[in-house]
Amino acid sequence: MSTLRQALAVTVAVMMTSAAPCAHAIAPKPVDHSQLPGPTAPAPPGRTEQSDRCASVKPAEGGPAHQLDMLDLAAVWPLSRGSGQLVAVIDTGVARHRLLPHLVAGGDYVSSGDGTQDCDGHGTAIAGLIGAATADTGPGSFSGVAPDATVMAIRQSSNKFRLTDDHDISGVGDVETLARAVRSAADAGATVINISSVACMPASDPLDDRSLGAALAYAVDVRNVVVVAAAGNASGECAGQNPLADTKRPGTPDWDTVHTVVSPAWYDDYVLTVGSVSPNGTPSPFSLAGPWVDVAAPGESVVSLSAQGDGLVDSRPDGRPLSGSSYAAPIVSGVVALVRSRLPQLSARQVMARIEDTARHPADGWNPQVGHGVVDPLAAVSGGVPTPAPARVSTAQTAPAPGPGHPPSRRIAFLGTALCITVAAAAATGRRRSRPS
């Protein structure tokens, strides 16, 4: 199909998102190692400029919420606090904050910074849930899941910038820069990578994200990194909620009834995908279901670090609470850091299997909303050592060589706290582009 015809097909699909979507049997393309981005320094895809004021939010009122109470971290921290782990946060940047004493710069794919600028305010909140540290352990104190872990800030996307030569499109960041950021984080020594963003497309016309698939395979099987990703939120271009259950085969992932494809989550062999639950453990209604969902964590009405000043934040700029699977993912990234610190002999795949095996399983053992269940940090850190056999079959046995000839990049927009990447079409140019919904 020509590029223009592909663009028109996507336009039609986007226009029909309000109608009942058709199911399609889908699967990600086999990993093509020749698509692996080369080992280049972080840099924007072209000249960029700030196009909007940085997000402004009110400080949190009433102190931290208790979204992490169900994880019983006080019982885990005597065993592990995540020391020795480098968690890369590939997001909108991470601002320096008094509660992020172990923050290091990892690079900027949006502008000329070093990754420690966050005009959107999202990446800082993500980082806080992973590694915020405080000496105060009394009532009202705030801490991330792995307070002794080091956080690496990589700014890969922003709704507040645009490419200078394309004023029609707001936002900077695409699957190509995401792939480059994954490789960069892996080469920099990250032991965990958190991706709290998703690209959604109709199952009838999934993304060409081969460079991202190659980067994920490289990170996991060559660099021994655990990659954690959000499941996505059923809104905007991700609104085509996938079936919540398979009545014919309970407890079995069903790739044949998928309406909405989610990347990077659908690279299930390489990504630990996280859905959201409420504080009492029930699935969040907004959390996008899918055969790739592995585990779940709290993602409703969270409190975390503000990118403005040194305080806390509990709402978006529009006043709505911070809720989304993008906030559930860093909880699991923090748990991964706890496990890797406590059990450094485990491979990335063994850690992924351990997180799944020790989760609080639903009645059917697995379902497309919460996967294998809500993460259990204490069980993951203190349980027995699993067998050496990996739980997932790898297709990457040796370090692949990067190759030339990458396809045109897909422009993407990371929308608010949901971070749902919408992909629409511009028929005049024949390229897929994104626009905020």
Side-chain angles (χ1 to χ4, degrees):
M1 182 183 291
S2 68
T3 304
L4 180 57
R5 286 176 63 196
Q6 285 181 327
L8 293 175
V10 175
T11 303
V12 172
V14 170
M15 291 174 62
M16 295 179 64
T17 55
S18 60
C22 297
H24 295 268
I26 58 100
K29 294 179 176 66
V31 170
D32 181 354
H33 299 305
S34 69
Q35 299 294 324
L36 178 67
T40 57
R47 293 181 58 193
T48 64
E49 61 187 14
Q50 188 168 342
S51 57
D52 196 3
R53 290 180 298 177
C54 292
S56 178
V57 295
K58 295 181 179 179
E61 298 180 359
H66 299 286
Q67 72 260 15
L68 303 185
D69 286 356
M70 64 186 295
L71 302 179
D72 194 17
L73 293 172
V76 181
W77 286 334
L79 302 174
S80 176
R81 293 172 58 88
S83 63
Q85 302 307 300
L86 179 61
V87 184
V89 175
I90 300 176
D91 211 280
T92 62
V94 179
R96 296 195 179 277
H97 194 286
R98 64 183 176 86
L99 298 184
L100 288 174
H102 311 302
L103 180 67
V104 298
D108 195 336
Y109 293 88
V110 171
S111 188
S112 58
D114 63 1
T116 61
Q117 299 79 27
D118 184 9
C119 197
D120 302 73
H122 188 270
T124 306
I126 298 302
L129 293 170
I130 295 170
T134 176
D136 180 10
T137 58
S141 63
F142 178 83
S143 179
V145 175
D148 287 353
T150 298
V151 173
M152 176 187 288
I154 299 179
R155 182 160 67 164
Q156 185 268 330
S157 59
S158 176
N159 276 339
K160 307 300 182 181
F161 285 76
R162 66 188 176 193
L163 289 173
T164 304
D165 62 355
D166 198 344
H167 288 183
D168 291 336
I169 304 298
S170 62
V172 175
D174 58 34
V175 294
E176 299 299 321
T177 56
L178 181 55
R180 289 171 54 199
V182 169
R183 162 129 204 198
S184 177
D187 286 344
T191 55
V192 188
I193 293 175
N194 186 92
I195 304 175
S196 282
S197 56
V198 300
C200 288
M201 287 289 289
S204 58
D205 192 9
L207 284 168
D208 180 3
D209 57 355
R210 289 173 293 173
S211 61
L212 181 55
L216 294 170
Y218 173 81
V220 175
D221 288 323
V222 178
R223 292 297 188 179
N224 194 33
V225 185
V226 176
V227 181
V228 180
N233 300 336
S235 62
E237 298 308 326
C238 304
Q241 176 66 277
N242 292 316
L244 301 182
D246 184 349
T247 57
K248 296 181 180 179
R249 298 177 297 170
T252 303
D254 184 2
W255 291 76
D256 295 337
T257 58
V258 170
H259 303 311
T260 302
V261 172
V262 182
S263 181
W266 74 330
Y267 284 100
D268 194 42
D269 279 351
Y270 305 101
V271 177
L272 194 61
T273 299
V274 186
S276 172
V277 295
S278 69
N280 63 11
T282 58
S284 300
F286 55 75
S287 192
L288 195 62
W292 41 73
V293 176
D294 296 308
V295 291
E300 295 187 20
S301 299
V302 305
V303 173
S304 193
L305 305 186
S306 173
Q308 302 170 335
D310 284 331
L312 304 178
V313 64
D314 60 3
S315 64
R316 297 169 52 173
D318 60 9
R320 287 184 292 171
L322 293 184
S323 296
S325 63
S326 58
Y327 299 108
I331 302 301
V332 175
S333 290
V335 175
V336 170
L338 296 176
V339 173
R340 302 213 83 172
S341 178
R342 172 77 169 176
L343 302 167
Q345 73 275 20
L346 300 185
S347 70
R349 290 185 175 276
Q350 287 176 316
V351 172
M352 294 165 74
R354 188 182 188 88
I355 298 295
E356 295 175 357
D357 293 343
T358 58
R360 298 160 188 162
H361 299 317
D364 51 8
W366 178 93
N367 72 53
Q369 290 175 287
V370 300
H372 295 277
V374 178
V375 291
D376 187 334
L378 183 58
V381 168
S382 63
V385 178
T387 58
R392 307 175 186 214
V393 178
S394 167
T395 58
Q397 301 300 327
T398 58
H406 295 280
S409 64
R410 306 292 184 91
R411 196 73 52 78
I412 56 182
F414 296 76
L415 306 180
T417 60
L419 283 188
C420 183
I421 306 166
T422 62
V423 185
T429 61
R431 295 178 61 195
R432 294 184 185 178
R433 298 180 176 183
S434 67
R435 303 177 189 275
S437 59

